[in-house]
Amino acid sequence: MPPLTKNELCELLGIARPGGATFIVSSVTEDSRRVHPGAVFVASPGEHADGHDFAVQAAAAGAVAVVGGRGGVDELCGLPYLRVADPRAAAGLLAQALAGNPTARLRVLGVTGTNGKTSTAHLVRAVLNHAGHSCANFGTIGYEIGGTLYNAPHTTPFAEDLSDMFVRAENAGHTHVVMEVSSIALDQERVAGVRFTAAGFTNLTRDHLDYHGNMDNYRDAKLKLFTRIEPSADMNRGPRFTVVNAEDPAASYFVDASRVPCYRYGAGGDMRAEKVRLDFGGASFRLVTPFGAADAHIRLIGHHNLSNALCAASFCAGLGVPVEMVAEGLGTLPSVTGRFEPVDAGQSFYVVVDYAHTDDGLSNVLRAARALCKGRIITVFGCGGDRDKGKRPKMGHVAASMSDFCILTSDNPRTEDPHRILLDVEVGMQRAEKRKGDDYLIIESREEAIHKAISLARAGDLVMIAGKGHENYQIIGTERRHFDDREEAMAALKALKP
């Protein structure tokens, strides 16, 4: 990675050059525990602590300067203090520059939205790989680079880790990267300095309001991704464009924010699905685009995945992949971990595990289940602790309205009282005029809840286990314990008497 001189650092940040001794910058971090000699320490304000409080540790570890947003400060803990308007954005710019700006050579596709980001990104990667383009994928399930899946502590990594991942992707021979871009990451400027080729918007429904406060702030955070897509004269890397779900009520905000060509997908959009047939094998449809039309099939189940497929098709067609190749590529993805994922031990009923953890996400998967299931739908779900409490009764109401029977259980309670969380969810069940015992049960233990649901299922029924999907843990208090819905469902199925 190329180092920066003090003067180059200040020029990159757009600030005046301070006096004093010169220095060379070899790395940047917002975490004082990751400071090495030659590092710039970025003192960002956090939810629970202020980075300025850790400057002494950074100085002791060999930092050469502190970047922060405080006025009237020229020196901190013996280090030159460089004031910027947004320390987090500065961290992103520096991280990308010190990595050699790999996104200047990669085609980076960013997907934002409440639901569907993961499935859309996997579909994009499948199509591009099928078309002969090597594509990495950064998202909720993991960071897939060069055939290796790395653990994903965050949907969108922090700036210093993200820049390193782009370097790895380029070194692995990837030409494209598709990445999920969360609203929190956008608000925290983790993708500052990333040169996006295209941005896509899937949908906007309630989530993360414990962080954003209200839906307007949540939407505006996601809009930041679209404002980053700028027209480019570098036609060797292709045109810049955006992709928007025409069926979402917030679509106009994203269309208006786009300064480059925008492809709208869904009913009435530029990219549409016609002659649709849905079943447990996926969806067959006629893919209609401004670039031509082709018959397509996806193996992902439900109408919501048809929308995700259209989003992915819009990305790939916008990049110049022939429509016939797009249609073929969509069908090469067998499944997405924890997204309407079946658990099959030869039983006479269906068991499905899904990540749905919002009211809209739960509505989507239950609607898909209802269209395909001839028997009852038994839903097992809960809500996370230390997160938006307002969505709890909403999820309860959706589950009650769209299921035949529900079992309320723990998700990741974190430091909240699990029983208190379940009472919040139960409010939604009661609003739907459901009766405890007759229409739903409360079983705090997720293991017991899954086993109970499967014991109740009969031939033709469907057990929907929602909320955790690919996650193989539960967070109880501050402890992360191994727990996998798929493993537990399989154990419950095997425990059934023949």
Side-chain angles (χ1 to χ4, degrees):
M1 296 184 183
L4 295 173
T5 66
K6 179 175 76 170
N7 289 346
E8 289 171 335
L9 171 71
C10 294
E11 183 177 354
L12 181 65
L13 297 179
I15 60 176
R17 301 173 185 175
T22 188
F23 54 79
I24 299 294
V25 178
S26 58
S27 64
V28 61
T29 182
E30 296 178 78
D31 187 341
S32 61
R33 296 165 297 184
R34 300 176 71 175
V35 171
H36 298 288
V40 164
F41 175 59
V42 178
S44 301
E47 289 184 74
H48 306 294
D50 191 318
H52 291 85
D53 298 334
F54 300 91
V56 63
Q57 291 94 322
V64 295
V66 176
V67 170
R70 290 183 178 175
V73 181
D74 297 320
E75 184 180 282
L76 188 63
C77 299
L79 299 176
Y81 186 88
L82 309 178
R83 184 191 180 194
V84 295
D86 190 330
R88 285 171 169 163
L93 288 171
L94 290 175
Q96 294 297 327
L98 288 164
N101 288 314
T103 61
R105 297 173 295 279
L106 294 164
R107 294 189 180 182
V108 182
L109 315 173
V111 188
T112 196
T114 306
N115 299 308
K117 297 187 296 297
T118 298
S119 295
T120 296
H122 278 71
L123 285 162
V124 168
R125 181 178 178 274
V127 172
L128 291 178
N129 285 347
H130 179 72
H133 304 293
S134 182
C135 184
N137 181 4
F138 307 162
T140 306
I141 293 177
Y143 312 140
E144 192 167 357
I145 306 170
T148 299
L149 184 65
Y150 298 91
N151 182 52
H154 304 281
T155 295
T156 311
F158 283 87
E160 58 191 291
D161 295 322
L162 183 57
S163 63
D164 178 64
M165 286 165 49
F166 283 126
V167 170
R168 291 192 203 180
E170 187 176 24
N171 290 341
H174 293 300
T175 55
H176 295 66
V177 174
V178 60
M179 62 179 293
E180 301 174 43
V181 189
S182 70
S183 59
I184 294 174
L186 285 161
D187 184 70
Q188 295 179 354
E189 294 288 351
R190 296 182 201 168
V191 294
V194 176
R195 304 181 189 182
F196 288 96
T197 296
F201 164 67
T202 58
N203 49 60
L204 186 73
T205 58
R206 182 176 182 133
D207 202 11
H208 302 304
L209 295 198
D210 53 300
Y211 178 91
H212 294 290
N214 59 58
M215 286 298 292
D216 286 347
N217 291 341
Y218 180 38
R219 178 199 65 220
D220 290 348
K222 291 190 175 297
L223 284 171
K224 287 183 178 181
L225 178 62
F226 274 59
T227 63
R228 292 182 185 277
I229 314 300
E230 300 178 350
S232 172
D234 181 7
M235 297 310 293
N236 290 326
R237 298 184 60 241
R240 306 291 191 268
F241 62 93
T242 58
V243 172
V244 172
N245 182 357
E247 298 180 26
D248 192 89
S252 62
Y253 290 96
F254 291 84
V255 173
D256 292 344
S258 179
R259 295 177 288 167
V260 294
C262 179
Y263 299 111
R264 298 164 66 252
Y265 67 90
D270 307 298
M271 314 277 185
R272 305 182 304 280
E274 299 181 353
K275 301 178 181 177
V276 177
R277 296 191 308 277
L278 299 171
D279 56 32
F280 265 110
S284 298
F285 58 99
R286 182 73 172 169
L287 175 62
V288 179
T289 82
F291 311 103
D295 291 330
H297 176 79
I298 58 171
R299 289 187 266 180
L300 308 185
I301 300 169
H303 189 273
H304 60 294
N305 276 317
L306 181 62
S307 179
N308 296 333
L310 288 176
C311 185
S314 302
F315 269 117
C316 297
L319 288 170
V321 178
V323 174
E324 294 79 7
M325 189 72 73
V326 172
E328 290 175 7
L330 291 173
T332 64
L333 182 67
S335 63
V336 179
T337 304
R339 271 62 177 176
F340 217 98
E341 183 176 355
V343 180
D344 189 359
Q347 73 276 6
S348 61
F349 53 90
Y350 301 101
V351 177
V352 175
V353 170
D354 195 272
Y355 188 54
H357 60 283
T358 67
D359 53 303
D360 183 66
L362 191 57
S363 174
N364 285 335
V365 297
L366 291 177
R367 186 178 297 111
R370 181 62 71 190
L372 302 172
C373 173
K374 303 299 183 184
R376 298 176 304 158
I377 294 177
I378 302 169
T379 301
V380 181
F381 77 106
C383 290
D386 300 333
R387 297 294 186 267
D388 178 16
K389 296 181 180 180
K391 72 178 182 181
R392 295 172 186 174
K394 291 178 179 292
M395 288 186 67
H397 191 273
V398 165
S401 302
M402 302 183 71
S403 309
D404 296 288
F405 194 81
C406 295
I407 300 180
L408 282 56
T409 190
S410 286
D411 191 286
N412 291 322
R414 299 183 178 87
T415 63
E416 277 197 72
D417 177 0
H419 185 65
R420 178 70 259 176
I421 296 172
L422 293 172
L423 291 179
D424 290 343
V425 178
E426 188 179 20
V427 170
M429 310 293 293
Q430 294 170 342
R431 287 175 182 168
E433 299 183 350
K434 300 298 181 180
R435 298 169 62 90
K436 187 175 181 179
D438 295 332
D439 303 305
Y440 68 93
L441 296 174
I442 296 178
I443 302 177
E444 187 176 311
S445 164
R446 195 169 181 91
E447 176 185 357
E448 292 179 18
I450 290 172
H451 282 252
K452 180 65 175 178
I454 286 175
S455 73
L456 293 174
R458 300 293 178 261
D461 290 349
L462 186 148
V463 176
M464 175 64 67
I465 306 172
K468 294 183 62 58
H470 65 281
E471 293 179 352
N472 61 0
Y473 59 85
Q474 261 191 304
I475 303 174
I476 300 175
T478 58
E479 180 185 355
R480 179 177 290 213
R481 305 177 186 176
H482 179 81
F483 191 94
D484 190 313
D485 283 352
R486 296 159 297 181
E487 292 176 3
E488 207 57 56
M490 182 60 74
L493 289 170
K494 290 181 177 179
L496 292 176
K497 293 181 179 180

